[in-house]
Amino acid sequence: MVPTMGALHDGHLSLVRMAGKPTVVVSIFVNPSQFAPHEDFDAYPRDLDSDLNKLGSTGANIIVFAPNAREMYPEGFATSITVGGGSAGLETDFRPHFFAGVATVVAKLLLAALPDTAIFGQKDYQQLLVVTRLAADLGLPTKIIGAPIAREVDGLAMSSRNAYLSASERTVAGNLNKVLKDTIARARETGDLRDAEKYGAAALETVGFDKVDYVAIRDAANLSVATGVSGPARILAAAKIGKTRLIDNMAF
Ligand code: PAF
């Protein structure tokens, strides 16, 4: 299964291709419960016909599940799943509602399709850890796999929200991945991870981001604060250009 919110791009299609030969259930559902009232639920791009054409072009054996909100959240729906551990901090500092919305809908989607495997992009790295925890804790019969981030030519991580960017904002956005690479280099040079995080945040402002939510170097397995550079770590960032909030991350 490849769960999506539609507005499919090559990143999503790479997840479908990664699934290979077996039948792939692709869900397309813009999940209201993972958006706060002030966020972009209404503006989120929706184009089912175009999504279906793109999925058709993969040549994969696909079942599309595109429920409406009433099917997913019938009258009286009152359940919300909270996942602890890696869901604390980073995204939750800025989007406190987000992971309960994601965990609840992903549990429903996985239970509806009962896939043997579900693939999630590593662009939403914290989400991938939350979903992995969710599937393990609820004993869902689904193996969760993280797929590499698909990137544009200048390294910008593919995202449906990139469509919001004006031409000049798009140029600024292309620097996010470069700043992360520079920040990793700085951390390796100095060994001071907190200094490197500050350096990265300042660099994002210098290249034109309007607001930096975080640049953080964390333990890759559980997102606890990384203290050294010897084990597998992950650098993660979220920043806004105008109204558009972008996230990215890299192995470190
Ligand atoms: O990553 C997404 O597109 C969404 O958060 C997901 C996993 C489909 C849940 O709505």
Side-chain angles (χ1 to χ4, degrees), residues 39 86-99 123-127 130 161 213-214 218 223 236-239 245-248:
E39 292 183 343
S87 71
L90 301 177
E91 284 302 290
T92 49
D93 290 343
F94 300 89
R95 308 187 70 199
H97 56 283
F98 180 62
F99 287 126
K123 185 177 80 69
D124 296 275
Y125 189 80
Q126 194 175 5
Q127 168 176 277
V130 167
R161 289 190 167 99
D213 283 352
Y214 58 83
R218 296 293 176 97
L223 296 185
L236 306 100
R245 185 171 186 274
L246 300 178
I247 58 173
D248 198 354

Side-chain angles (χ1 to χ4, degrees), residues 74-246:
E75 187 85 40
F77 189 93
T79 296
S80 177
I81 299 178
T82 306
V83 180
S87 71
L90 301 177
E91 284 302 290
T92 49
D93 290 343
F94 300 89
R95 308 187 70 199
H97 56 283
F98 180 62
F99 287 126
V102 168
T104 306
V105 82
V106 168
K108 282 181 66 78
L109 292 168
L110 295 181
L111 287 168
L114 288 179
D116 55 3
T117 305
I119 307 179
F120 294 81
Q122 287 179 344
K123 185 177 80 69
D124 296 275
Y125 189 80
Q126 194 175 5
Q127 168 176 277
L128 173 63
L129 295 190
V130 167
V131 168
T132 304
R133 186 79 260 159
L134 168 85
D137 289 356
L138 296 186
L140 298 177
T142 300
K143 183 175 173 200
I144 306 297
I145 294 186
I149 300 175
R151 294 184 181 277
E152 306 285 357
V153 177
D154 65 352
L156 176 66
M158 289 186 188
S159 163
S160 305
R161 289 190 167 99
N162 292 349
Y164 297 150
L165 299 168
S166 68
S168 60
E169 289 173 340
R170 172 64 187 80
T171 305
V172 173
N175 288 299
L176 177 53
N177 72 97
K178 298 183 180 84
V179 168
L180 291 189
K181 284 182 194 150
D182 289 350
T183 306
I184 290 174
R186 169 104 173 190
R188 283 196 202 288
E189 234 171 76
T190 66
D192 184 342
L193 305 187
R194 303 295 82 80
D195 161 78
E197 290 167 347
K198 283 185 200 138
Y199 167 89
L204 286 178
E205 281 171 6
T206 304
V207 299
F209 280 83
D210 295 306
K211 180 171 180 297
V212 179
D213 283 352
Y214 58 83
V215 174
I217 298 169
R218 296 293 176 97
D219 183 294
N222 57 18
L223 296 185
S224 62
V225 177
T227 49
V229 288
S230 55
R234 202 91 192 170
I235 182 164
L236 306 100
K240 275 186 177 165
I241 310 174
K243 286 187 179 157
T244 307
R245 185 171 186 274
L246 300 178

Side-chain angles (χ1 to χ4, degrees), residues 4-9 12 27-30 44-47 51 160:
T4 82
M5 297 207 300
L8 302 181
H9 49 67
H12 295 114
S27 62
I28 298 178
F29 178 60
V30 185
Y44 199 86
R46 293 162 172 87
D47 189 345
D51 288 345
S160 305

